Amino acid sequence: MILSLAAAVSPWDIALCVTGTLISCENALVIAVLFYTPTLRAPMFILIGSLAVADLLAGLGLILNFVFTYLIDSSLEFVTLLSVGLLISAFSASVLNILAITVDRYLSLYNALTYHTERTVTFTYVMVIFIWVSCLTLGLLPALGWNCLKDESTCSICRPVTKNNAVALAVTFLLVFALMMQLYLQICKIAFRHAQQIAVQHQFVAISTTKGVSTLSAILCAFGACWLPFAMYSIVADYSYPVIYTYATVLPATCCSVINPIIYAFRNPDIQKSLWMACCGCVPSNLSLRPRTSSDV
C-alpha cells in the first residue's frame, strides 16, 4: 500500500507540499514575533502581520491540498471546495496585503509631515478587515455554486474554478500589479526629489537613494516573476491543457509567499532585534538602532 502510494504521488505535489511547509514555518515565526513584542503595534507592523497570516494560511492550504489529494477521498465535493476556497482566499489576501503595504509606503513619503497623525491604527485595522472580507468572499464563491464540478468543460487550469472566474482573478491581479508599478515609480520620484533637496548630505543621500531604488526594483521584479506567469497562463489556458504547465506556473507563484517574510519582515531592524532577543537574549552591536519607518525599503 505504501509503495503504491509513493509511486502515485506526483513530484510536483511533493514540491508544493514542501513549499507550503516552508511558508508556514517562516510566517508562523513572523506572527509569533509580532504577537509577543508589544512595541510592534504601528500600522506598518499590522500590515506585515496581516500579510504573514495570509501567507501562513496559503502554506497550510498547500499542505491540506496534498493531504486531501493523497490521504483523503478527493472525489468528495466539499473537500475540493474547501481546499480551493482556502487557497483562493489566502493568496488573494497575500496579494492585496502587499498592495496595502505599497500604498502605506507611498503615503508615508507623499504625506511625510502628516502621515503619523492621519494613519491611525484604527484606520489600518479597517483596511485589513476590508481586505479579509473581500478575500473570504472570493474564497466562498466556488462553494456557493461558482464552480465547474457539474460541467467539466467550463473548468479552468485550477479545478473546480471556472474559466471565467479564473480570468477575472488573473485580470484583477494584472491591475493590482500595474498599480504597484505606478506607486513604486512615484516612490522613486519622491525619494530622488528629497535627495536633491538635502544638499548638505548630497553624497550620502544619493548612495542611499540609489540603494533604495535598487531594492524597490528587486521587490517588484520578484513579485512579477512569481505571479505573472500563472496569471497570464490562467487567461490563455483551460482544463484541457497539460497539467505540467499548470504546475510549472503555480510553483513560482507559491514561492512569492516564501519570499514575502524575507522582504517585508526579516529585513526590518525592529523585527530583527526581537528575533535576536528571542533566540539568544542579546542584540548584535552592528544592528541598526534606528526605528524603521514605512517609507524605508
Side-chain angles (χ1 to χ4, degrees):
M1 177 66 181
I2 295 177
L3 290 176
S4 61
L5 177 62
V9 175
S10 166
W12 289 101
D13 285 326
I14 294 175
L16 287 173
C17 185
V18 171
T19 303
T21 304
L22 180 59
I23 292 170
S24 301
C25 293
E26 279 186 310
N27 288 283
L29 180 60
V30 174
I31 294 170
V33 169
L34 294 175
F35 184 80
Y36 288 107
T37 309
T39 56
L40 303 181
R41 295 293 184 270
M44 172 180 60
F45 295 112
I46 295 172
L47 293 175
I48 291 175
S50 179
L51 174 62
V53 171
D55 286 334
L56 173 63
L57 291 176
L60 294 176
L62 292 173
I63 297 171
L64 287 176
N65 184 66
F66 182 87
V67 172
F68 290 160
T69 301
Y70 294 103
L71 302 180
I72 298 178
D73 186 2
S74 59
S75 63
L76 298 174
E77 286 191 6
F78 82 91
V79 170
T80 302
L81 295 174
L82 174 62
S83 176
V84 170
L86 176 59
L87 290 172
I88 290 176
S89 295
F91 282 114
S92 298
S94 179
V95 170
L96 290 183
N97 275 295
I98 292 175
L99 175 62
I101 291 173
T102 306
V103 172
D104 185 66
R105 287 175 169 174
Y106 170 73
L107 292 177
S108 69
L109 284 171
Y110 185 76
N111 298 323
L113 297 178
T114 59
Y115 170 82
H116 291 289
T117 56
E118 292 178 350
R119 291 283 291 163
T120 62
V121 172
T122 302
F123 176 82
T124 305
Y125 274 121
V126 170
M127 182 168 60
V128 168
I129 291 172
F130 174 77
I131 289 173
W132 278 102
V133 169
S134 301
C135 294
L136 289 173
T137 302
L138 286 175
L140 285 173
L141 289 181
L144 295 176
W146 281 272
N147 62 67
C148 62
L149 292 177
K150 292 181 172 59
D151 185 3
E152 296 287 336
S153 64
T154 63
C155 283
S156 66
I157 58 174
C158 296
R159 184 182 180 274
V161 179
T162 64
K163 173 67 175 179
N164 290 337
N165 286 351
V167 170
L169 288 172
V171 170
T172 302
F173 165 79
L174 294 176
L175 293 175
V176 168
F177 183 67
L179 179 57
M180 286 180 60
M181 289 183 62
Q182 179 63 26
L183 288 171
Y184 273 130
L185 179 62
Q186 294 302 317
I187 288 173
C188 291
K189 288 182 178 180
I190 295 171
F192 276 120
R193 187 165 64 246
H194 287 178
Q196 293 172 353
Q197 292 172 350
I198 308 177
V200 178
Q201 300 176 340
H202 178 74
Q203 183 178 2
F204 169 77
V205 174
I207 295 173
S208 176
T209 303
T210 302
K211 182 180 178 182
V213 171
S214 300
T215 304
L216 286 176
S217 301
I219 292 173
L220 198 58
C221 288
F223 182 73
C226 288
W227 278 107
L228 280 177
F230 179 67
M232 298 302 295
Y233 187 65
S234 297
I235 294 174
V236 302
D238 57 31
Y239 75 100
S240 64
Y241 280 58
V243 70
I244 188 173
Y245 297 148
T246 301
Y247 279 121
T249 54
V250 166
L251 187 58
T254 61
C255 287
C256 186
S257 294
V258 177
I259 300 172
N260 286 341
I262 300 171
I263 292 177
Y264 298 102
F266 296 144
R267 290 175 59 251
N268 186 288
D270 297 311
I271 293 178
Q272 288 178 13
K273 285 186 287 185
S274 297
L275 283 172
W276 276 102
M277 289 298 296
C279 293
C280 62
C282 62
V283 178
S285 57
N286 62 344
L287 189 62
S288 172
L289 297 177
R290 178 182 66 85
R292 170 166 285 209
T293 64
S294 301
S295 59
D296 292 336
V297 294

